[in-house]
Amino acid sequence: PVDSERFHPRLRVERAKFVERHGIDAAATVYLVAAADFARAGVGTAIDALAQLAPPVHLVAVGDDSDIARYRTRAQARGVGDRVTLVGRVDDTRPYYGAADVFVLPSIYDPSPDCAFEAMACALPVIASTKSGAAELLHEHEGGLVCPSGDVAGLAAHMRVLQEPSTRAGLSANARRAVLPLSPPAITLQQVLLYRDLLATPGPGR
């Protein structure tokens, strides 16, 4: 379930304060990754892809990962240390969604990425890998782009396409529309009806 009132496009008002606080170019296209496990989420792939894009672009990665220093070293080695902001665990990710232009999740494996669905509720277009549970929803509703996991060139190409505000606009509206039916009451009702049908189905010996 996605709470589309808690996660919504109005969070965009956070952007100006956010970029100033983190020293990000106000004109930059900001790509966001949010995940507890940076390796599984493909943060390294996102850093490598960012290195193929000309400034002003910026990557922000948020998550409770114990090996952030390794990704900071990787960004510096790729020559984009000043264009990558790595943040540890945060209690509230909403200001980060509000500051971002695009959500990126080139996951190695992630069957049900809550962060991607929250980003979509905030009207962010999403770039996900084919290993992400968000990929099918993005395809069905045209709420973002999909590329193979680990495909740096493909991810960079998608990120480059979404630097264009007019391209993002249509995908943004579609992304939010795709998750509106996934409200907590609606998902709860689906589960109740599923259990009702299962209980009503005759089993062996009945």
Side-chain angles (χ1 to χ4, degrees):
V2 183
D3 186 342
S4 58
E5 285 304 310
R6 178 174 170 78
F7 299 97
H8 51 73
R10 295 188 300 276
L11 292 171
R12 189 69 175 175
V13 298
E14 300 283 350
R15 180 181 171 91
K17 291 186 295 184
F18 181 93
V19 297
E20 182 179 1
R21 182 167 71 251
H22 289 282
I24 298 172
D25 187 335
T29 304
V30 177
Y31 301 92
L32 172 67
V33 184
D37 185 334
F38 280 9
R40 194 177 73 176
V43 171
T45 300
I47 291 172
D48 294 349
L50 186 86
Q52 297 189 14
L53 305 181
V57 293
H58 202 97
L59 176 70
V60 178
V62 181
D64 190 14
D65 193 289
S66 60
D67 205 10
I68 284 182
R70 178 162 66 94
Y71 293 95
R72 187 169 288 113
T73 299
R74 184 170 185 154
Q76 291 169 348
R78 301 294 187 274
V80 291
D82 61 337
R83 292 196 282 137
V84 175
T85 298
L86 299 168
V87 183
R89 181 180 181 278
V90 297
D91 293 327
D92 187 0
T93 54
R94 289 179 299 168
Y96 294 86
Y97 293 130
D101 296 297
V102 180
F103 189 82
V104 181
L105 197 64
S107 308
I108 296 171
Y109 173 74
D110 198 342
S112 185
D114 292 346
C115 290
F117 301 141
E118 291 167 357
M120 292 170 71
C122 295
L124 291 179
V126 173
I127 305 174
S129 81
T130 51
K131 300 295 186 181
S132 167
E136 183 178 348
L137 196 63
L138 293 172
H139 267 313
E140 182 181 350
H141 295 274
E142 298 183 352
L145 303 172
V146 177
C147 63
S149 178
D151 182 359
V152 174
L155 177 59
H158 284 341
M159 292 170 73
R160 192 174 293 112
V161 165
L162 293 186
Q163 282 184 263
E164 176 55 51
S166 61
T167 303
R168 295 198 302 268
L171 297 178
S172 296
N174 292 343
R176 178 163 172 83
R177 194 177 303 117
V179 297
L180 287 178
L182 306 180
S183 67
I187 296 299
T188 299
L189 178 60
Q190 288 180 28
Q191 292 175 326
V192 169
L193 294 177
L194 173 61
Y195 281 114
R196 182 202 63 185
D197 293 345
L198 289 172
L199 290 170
T201 302
R206 292 179 61 185

mmCIF file of all heavy atoms in Angstrom, residues 33-64:
data_model
loop_
_atom_site.group_PDB
_atom_site.id
_atom_site.type_symbol
_atom_site.label_atom_id
_atom_site.label_comp_id
_atom_site.label_asym_id
_atom_site.label_seq_id
_atom_site.Cartn_x
_atom_site.Cartn_y
_atom_site.Cartn_z
ATOM 1 N N VAL A 33 18.229 7.956 -5.206
ATOM 2 C CA VAL A 33 18.119 6.536 -4.862
ATOM 3 C C VAL A 33 17.860 6.479 -3.362
ATOM 4 O O VAL A 33 18.563 7.125 -2.588
ATOM 5 C CB VAL A 33 19.412 5.757 -5.164
ATOM 6 C CG1 VAL A 33 19.199 4.267 -4.874
ATOM 7 C CG2 VAL A 33 19.864 5.961 -6.589
ATOM 8 N N ALA A 34 16.864 5.690 -2.947
ATOM 9 C CA ALA A 34 16.609 5.485 -1.521
ATOM 10 C C ALA A 34 16.487 3.988 -1.294
ATOM 11 O O ALA A 34 15.630 3.336 -1.894
ATOM 12 C CB ALA A 34 15.330 6.198 -1.091
ATOM 13 N N ALA A 35 17.357 3.451 -0.455
ATOM 14 C CA ALA A 35 17.357 2.006 -0.209
ATOM 15 C C ALA A 35 18.188 1.693 1.020
ATOM 16 O O ALA A 35 19.151 2.399 1.323
ATOM 17 C CB ALA A 35 17.930 1.270 -1.420
ATOM 18 N N ALA A 36 17.820 0.645 1.729
ATOM 19 C CA ALA A 36 18.577 0.244 2.907
ATOM 20 C C ALA A 36 19.876 -0.443 2.518
ATOM 21 O O ALA A 36 20.883 -0.330 3.215
ATOM 22 C CB ALA A 36 17.733 -0.698 3.766
ATOM 23 N N ASP A 37 19.858 -1.134 1.401
ATOM 24 C CA ASP A 37 21.023 -1.900 0.947
ATOM 25 C C ASP A 37 21.506 -1.315 -0.378
ATOM 26 O O ASP A 37 20.917 -1.560 -1.428
ATOM 27 C CB ASP A 37 20.628 -3.375 0.790
ATOM 28 C CG ASP A 37 21.801 -4.276 0.436
ATOM 29 O OD1 ASP A 37 22.774 -3.792 -0.160
ATOM 30 O OD2 ASP A 37 21.728 -5.482 0.760
ATOM 31 N N PHE A 38 22.571 -0.531 -0.323
ATOM 32 C CA PHE A 38 23.064 0.153 -1.530
ATOM 33 C C PHE A 38 23.502 -0.837 -2.608
ATOM 34 O O PHE A 38 23.318 -0.582 -3.791
ATOM 35 C CB PHE A 38 24.233 1.076 -1.175
ATOM 36 C CG PHE A 38 23.813 2.403 -0.589
ATOM 37 C CD1 PHE A 38 22.503 2.656 -0.234
ATOM 38 C CD2 PHE A 38 24.750 3.412 -0.392
ATOM 39 C CE1 PHE A 38 22.114 3.875 0.303
ATOM 40 C CE2 PHE A 38 24.374 4.636 0.132
ATOM 41 C CZ PHE A 38 23.061 4.873 0.487
ATOM 42 N N ALA A 39 24.098 -1.945 -2.213
ATOM 43 C CA ALA A 39 24.566 -2.922 -3.198
ATOM 44 C C ALA A 39 23.384 -3.519 -3.957
ATOM 45 O O ALA A 39 23.380 -3.586 -5.192
ATOM 46 C CB ALA A 39 25.381 -4.015 -2.512
ATOM 47 N N ARG A 40 22.366 -3.964 -3.230
ATOM 48 C CA ARG A 40 21.203 -4.578 -3.865
ATOM 49 C C ARG A 40 20.428 -3.565 -4.702
ATOM 50 O O ARG A 40 19.842 -3.907 -5.724
ATOM 51 C CB ARG A 40 20.285 -5.190 -2.811
ATOM 52 C CG ARG A 40 19.238 -6.134 -3.405
ATOM 53 C CD ARG A 40 18.390 -6.778 -2.334
ATOM 54 N NE ARG A 40 17.462 -5.824 -1.753
ATOM 55 C CZ ARG A 40 16.547 -6.136 -0.843
ATOM 56 N NH1 ARG A 40 16.476 -7.357 -0.379
ATOM 57 N NH2 ARG A 40 15.721 -5.217 -0.371
ATOM 58 N N ALA A 41 20.440 -2.300 -4.273
ATOM 59 C CA ALA A 41 19.712 -1.254 -5.004
ATOM 60 C C ALA A 41 20.458 -0.770 -6.244
ATOM 61 O O ALA A 41 19.898 -0.036 -7.053
ATOM 62 C CB ALA A 41 19.430 -0.072 -4.089
ATOM 63 N N GLY A 42 21.716 -1.167 -6.395
ATOM 64 C CA GLY A 42 22.468 -0.755 -7.579
ATOM 65 C C GLY A 42 22.999 0.664 -7.518
ATOM 66 O O GLY A 42 23.124 1.324 -8.553
ATOM 67 N N VAL A 43 23.330 1.138 -6.318
ATOM 68 C CA VAL A 43 23.846 2.503 -6.184
ATOM 69 C C VAL A 43 25.148 2.669 -6.962
ATOM 70 O O VAL A 43 25.393 3.708 -7.581
ATOM 71 C CB VAL A 43 24.035 2.883 -4.703
ATOM 72 C CG1 VAL A 43 24.779 4.212 -4.562
ATOM 73 C CG2 VAL A 43 22.682 2.968 -4.004
ATOM 74 N N GLY A 44 25.980 1.634 -6.972
ATOM 75 C CA GLY A 44 27.221 1.699 -7.750
ATOM 76 C C GLY A 44 26.941 1.913 -9.228
ATOM 77 O O GLY A 44 27.625 2.701 -9.903
ATOM 78 N N THR A 45 25.943 1.238 -9.748
ATOM 79 C CA THR A 45 25.546 1.406 -11.154
ATOM 80 C C THR A 45 25.063 2.835 -11.403
ATOM 81 O O THR A 45 25.374 3.435 -12.439
ATOM 82 C CB THR A 45 24.422 0.411 -11.512
ATOM 83 O OG1 THR A 45 24.897 -0.921 -11.313
ATOM 84 C CG2 THR A 45 23.990 0.568 -12.956
ATOM 85 N N ALA A 46 24.312 3.378 -10.450
ATOM 86 C CA ALA A 46 23.810 4.749 -10.597
ATOM 87 C C ALA A 46 24.958 5.753 -10.621
ATOM 88 O O ALA A 46 24.935 6.721 -11.393
ATOM 89 C CB ALA A 46 22.843 5.073 -9.462
ATOM 90 N N ILE A 47 25.977 5.532 -9.786
ATOM 91 C CA ILE A 47 27.145 6.423 -9.769
ATOM 92 C C ILE A 47 27.877 6.348 -11.099
ATOM 93 O O ILE A 47 28.253 7.375 -11.685
ATOM 94 C CB ILE A 47 28.079 6.059 -8.600
ATOM 95 C CG1 ILE A 47 27.423 6.417 -7.262
ATOM 96 C CG2 ILE A 47 29.431 6.774 -8.740
ATOM 97 C CD1 ILE A 47 28.172 5.918 -6.042
ATOM 98 N N ASP A 48 28.070 5.139 -11.595
ATOM 99 C CA ASP A 48 28.773 4.960 -12.874
ATOM 100 C C ASP A 48 28.000 5.612 -14.015
ATOM 101 O O ASP A 48 28.591 6.206 -14.923
ATOM 102 C CB ASP A 48 28.971 3.476 -13.160
ATOM 103 C CG ASP A 48 29.911 2.795 -12.167
ATOM 104 O OD1 ASP A 48 30.570 3.510 -11.377
ATOM 105 O OD2 ASP A 48 29.984 1.557 -12.180
ATOM 106 N N ALA A 49 26.664 5.510 -13.975
ATOM 107 C CA ALA A 49 25.841 6.118 -15.017
ATOM 108 C C ALA A 49 25.912 7.638 -14.944
ATOM 109 O O ALA A 49 26.010 8.324 -15.971
ATOM 110 C CB ALA A 49 24.394 5.644 -14.891
ATOM 111 N N LEU A 50 25.881 8.176 -13.728
ATOM 112 C CA LEU A 50 25.969 9.628 -13.560
ATOM 113 C C LEU A 50 27.259 10.167 -14.162
ATOM 114 O O LEU A 50 27.286 11.266 -14.731
ATOM 115 C CB LEU A 50 25.898 9.995 -12.079
ATOM 116 C CG LEU A 50 25.846 11.504 -11.804
ATOM 117 C CD1 LEU A 50 24.418 12.010 -11.875
ATOM 118 C CD2 LEU A 50 26.440 11.848 -10.449
ATOM 119 N N ALA A 51 28.329 9.399 -14.052
ATOM 120 C CA ALA A 51 29.626 9.830 -14.577
ATOM 121 C C ALA A 51 29.606 10.007 -16.090
ATOM 122 O O ALA A 51 30.484 10.668 -16.646
ATOM 123 C CB ALA A 51 30.702 8.832 -14.174
ATOM 124 N N GLN A 52 28.597 9.435 -16.748
ATOM 125 C CA GLN A 52 28.484 9.582 -18.199
ATOM 126 C C GLN A 52 27.652 10.802 -18.603
ATOM 127 O O GLN A 52 27.502 11.082 -19.787
ATOM 128 C CB GLN A 52 27.865 8.318 -18.805
ATOM 129 C CG GLN A 52 28.716 7.061 -18.614
ATOM 130 C CD GLN A 52 28.184 5.877 -19.395
ATOM 131 O OE1 GLN A 52 27.343 6.015 -20.282
ATOM 132 N NE2 GLN A 52 28.693 4.695 -19.082
ATOM 133 N N LEU A 53 27.124 11.510 -17.614
ATOM 134 C CA LEU A 53 26.290 12.675 -17.892
ATOM 135 C C LEU A 53 27.046 13.964 -17.582
ATOM 136 O O LEU A 53 27.758 14.044 -16.575
ATOM 137 C CB LEU A 53 25.012 12.634 -17.054
ATOM 138 C CG LEU A 53 24.143 11.376 -17.170
ATOM 139 C CD1 LEU A 53 22.907 11.522 -16.287
ATOM 140 C CD2 LEU A 53 23.732 11.130 -18.608
ATOM 141 N N ALA A 54 26.853 14.946 -18.418
ATOM 142 C CA ALA A 54 27.508 16.238 -18.205
ATOM 143 C C ALA A 54 26.762 17.027 -17.138
ATOM 144 O O ALA A 54 25.547 16.896 -16.983
ATOM 145 C CB ALA A 54 27.541 17.022 -19.511
ATOM 146 N N PRO A 55 27.467 17.862 -16.382
ATOM 147 C CA PRO A 55 26.809 18.737 -15.404
ATOM 148 C C PRO A 55 25.845 19.688 -16.126
ATOM 149 O O PRO A 55 26.016 19.945 -17.320
ATOM 150 C CB PRO A 55 27.967 19.503 -14.772
ATOM 151 C CG PRO A 55 29.204 18.791 -15.182
ATOM 152 C CD PRO A 55 28.897 18.040 -16.435
ATOM 153 N N PRO A 56 24.847 20.250 -15.420
ATOM 154 C CA PRO A 56 24.582 20.024 -13.996
ATOM 155 C C PRO A 56 23.614 18.868 -13.757
ATOM 156 O O PRO A 56 22.432 18.982 -14.084
ATOM 157 C CB PRO A 56 23.972 21.344 -13.540
ATOM 158 C CG PRO A 56 23.229 21.842 -14.760
ATOM 159 C CD PRO A 56 23.977 21.325 -15.962
ATOM 160 N N VAL A 57 24.099 17.775 -13.264
ATOM 161 C CA VAL A 57 23.255 16.671 -12.800
ATOM 162 C C VAL A 57 23.810 16.250 -11.448
ATOM 163 O O VAL A 57 25.009 16.409 -11.178
ATOM 164 C CB VAL A 57 23.237 15.475 -13.774
ATOM 165 C CG1 VAL A 57 22.549 15.837 -15.072
ATOM 166 C CG2 VAL A 57 24.644 14.966 -14.044
ATOM 167 N N HIS A 58 22.947 15.703 -10.606
ATOM 168 C CA HIS A 58 23.385 15.352 -9.257
ATOM 169 C C HIS A 58 22.653 14.095 -8.805
ATOM 170 O O HIS A 58 21.469 13.922 -9.092
ATOM 171 C CB HIS A 58 23.082 16.493 -8.281
ATOM 172 C CG HIS A 58 23.921 16.465 -7.044
ATOM 173 N ND1 HIS A 58 25.069 17.235 -6.909
ATOM 174 C CD2 HIS A 58 23.807 15.769 -5.889
ATOM 175 C CE1 HIS A 58 25.609 17.004 -5.720
ATOM 176 N NE2 HIS A 58 24.860 16.109 -5.089
ATOM 177 N N LEU A 59 23.375 13.222 -8.114
ATOM 178 C CA LEU A 59 22.791 12.005 -7.570
ATOM 179 C C LEU A 59 22.787 12.081 -6.051
ATOM 180 O O LEU A 59 23.805 12.396 -5.430
ATOM 181 C CB LEU A 59 23.596 10.777 -8.012
ATOM 182 C CG LEU A 59 23.133 9.426 -7.429
ATOM 183 C CD1 LEU A 59 21.787 9.021 -8.021
ATOM 184 C CD2 LEU A 59 24.179 8.335 -7.693
ATOM 185 N N VAL A 60 21.638 11.794 -5.446
ATOM 186 C CA VAL A 60 21.509 11.711 -3.994
ATOM 187 C C VAL A 60 21.124 10.276 -3.653
ATOM 188 O O VAL A 60 20.157 9.740 -4.218
ATOM 189 C CB VAL A 60 20.441 12.679 -3.459
ATOM 190 C CG1 VAL A 60 20.301 12.527 -1.945
ATOM 191 C CG2 VAL A 60 20.793 14.120 -3.821
ATOM 192 N N ALA A 61 21.873 9.650 -2.758
ATOM 193 C CA ALA A 61 21.568 8.285 -2.323
ATOM 194 C C ALA A 61 21.328 8.293 -0.824
ATOM 195 O O ALA A 61 22.170 8.764 -0.059
ATOM 196 C CB ALA A 61 22.707 7.338 -2.679
ATOM 197 N N VAL A 62 20.176 7.795 -0.411
ATOM 198 C CA VAL A 62 19.766 7.794 0.994
ATOM 199 C C VAL A 62 19.545 6.355 1.446
ATOM 200 O O VAL A 62 18.888 5.580 0.745
ATOM 201 C CB VAL A 62 18.457 8.577 1.191
ATOM 202 C CG1 VAL A 62 18.056 8.588 2.654
ATOM 203 C CG2 VAL A 62 18.592 9.993 0.668
ATOM 204 N N GLY A 63 20.076 6.001 2.598
ATOM 205 C CA GLY A 63 19.808 4.662 3.105
ATOM 206 C C GLY A 63 20.665 4.289 4.294
ATOM 207 O O GLY A 63 21.696 4.912 4.559
ATOM 208 N N ASP A 64 20.229 3.269 4.983
ATOM 209 C CA ASP A 64 20.910 2.796 6.190
ATOM 210 C C ASP A 64 21.964 1.766 5.795
ATOM 211 O O ASP A 64 21.880 0.586 6.150
ATOM 212 C CB ASP A 64 19.884 2.190 7.153
ATOM 213 C CG ASP A 64 20.484 1.892 8.516
ATOM 214 O OD1 ASP A 64 21.588 2.382 8.796
ATOM 215 O OD2 ASP A 64 19.841 1.171 9.296
#
